[in-house]
Amino acid sequence: MSDNAHFRRLPRAIQQSVTSGLDAEIEESFRRIDRAKHDPSVSEADVRAMENDIVTAGELRRRLTGE
């Protein structure tokens, strides 16, 4: 059974909570990246790690929801 099929079997409220949480994390990560790019104490490697977190959260959301 696929991740999407397992996810779809969960109650709708849980699905919404998970997707809303992932969406909020992605949005906040974009804000953190924007602040980090203006902060000389944050390395480029740290910014890349934050960007990878966005990609990972987006891939997880896509895998779960099929969107």
Side-chain angles (χ1 to χ4, degrees):
M1 188 177 282
S2 71
D3 293 334
N4 179 274
H6 285 291
F7 186 69
R8 294 290 175 202
R9 292 178 65 198
L10 294 171
R12 187 79 174 137
I14 293 174
Q15 292 178 35
Q16 289 175 328
S17 178
V18 170
T19 55
S20 294
L22 287 169
D23 290 344
E25 183 60 33
I26 291 168
E27 288 175 25
E28 179 57 29
S29 292
F30 278 116
R31 286 191 284 276
R32 283 194 303 263
I33 288 170
D34 188 49
R35 287 189 302 267
K37 287 182 177 180
H38 296 90
D39 183 347
S41 68
V42 179
S43 72
E44 286 194 32
D46 290 336
V47 172
R48 280 193 302 277
M50 288 182 238
E51 291 169 340
N52 284 336
D53 290 344
I54 291 172
V55 170
T56 300
E59 288 174 354
L60 176 59
R61 188 185 193 292
R62 182 186 48 77
R63 201 170 69 228
L64 292 174
T65 65
E67 297 174 356

